[in-house]
Amino acid sequence: MMLEELILAGGTTVVGAMATDSWAVARGGIGRLFRRRGQDQQSAIEAQLDNHVALIERAGDTERVRQSLLPVWLLELESLLDEYPDAAGDLQELIGEIRDRLPEDQRAWVQNNVAKDGGQVFAVQGGNVIVHQTAPGRRDGSGEAH
């Protein structure tokens, strides 16, 4: 898994676990990851996690709050992995552990893509997209556009 994908998977998994039965595992695992920065930083991250869970628990629209919190956790995880690249393996293991404990309805990920005004969207979840672009125009069978 590429680093950007790992960070996105980590952030979405942590935010998705907030205020669920799998929260204790997620909170403990994130705390252990950030322990690399020392006890004070670990405590600060755990307090931030607790505050974010409280926001979700009070919210009428929990998914909107989760989406709002996601960029925060993407930045936190990116910063941690920039400083401690060796944490990537631990984060990947934690993602698997949390996902295994998420409620069934939170194991499915939704992706919305919009292309307009001549735009193109190539999207995938959990795989690869390989696109071979060619210039617009007629083809004469030789593979060249005219």
Side-chain angles (χ1 to χ4, degrees):
M1 184 179 293
M2 294 182 65
L3 188 59
E4 294 83 16
E5 293 171 332
L6 179 61
I7 292 166
L8 182 59
T12 56
T13 302
V14 169
V15 171
M18 289 179 175
T20 69
D21 292 341
S22 61
W23 180 237
V25 171
R27 185 185 184 280
I30 292 297
R32 283 188 304 279
L33 284 173
F34 280 87
R35 184 180 303 150
R36 289 168 165 82
R37 290 184 171 163
Q39 184 61 44
D40 289 344
Q41 181 64 32
Q42 179 184 356
S43 296
I45 285 292
E46 289 171 343
Q48 184 176 357
L49 288 165
D50 294 341
N51 288 332
H52 288 177
V53 167
L55 284 172
I56 290 171
E57 290 173 341
R58 289 191 307 262
D61 185 351
T62 59
E63 287 312 306
R64 184 186 65 77
V65 175
R66 281 189 169 92
Q67 288 302 313
S68 296
L69 294 173
L70 179 58
V72 173
W73 289 101
L74 296 178
L75 289 172
E76 290 287 5
L77 292 172
E78 180 181 12
S79 174
L80 180 74
L81 293 179
D82 282 347
E83 191 175 350
Y84 299 96
D86 63 307
D90 293 338
L91 177 57
Q92 195 158 12
E93 287 178 26
L94 178 61
I95 290 167
E97 188 177 353
I98 295 168
R99 284 187 176 168
D100 288 345
R101 289 187 163 100
L102 281 174
E104 190 65 38
D105 65 332
Q106 288 185 305
R107 292 183 192 181
W109 304 96
V110 176
Q111 179 174 341
N112 297 309
N113 304 291
V114 177
K116 61 182 187 176
D117 300 329
Q120 297 177 331
V121 174
F122 305 99
V124 69
Q125 289 183 334
N128 297 316
V129 172
I130 299 171
V131 178
H132 300 279
Q133 290 286 125
T134 58
R138 278 192 347 248
R139 307 221 174 267
D140 64 5
S142 68
E144 293 188 30
H146 297 278

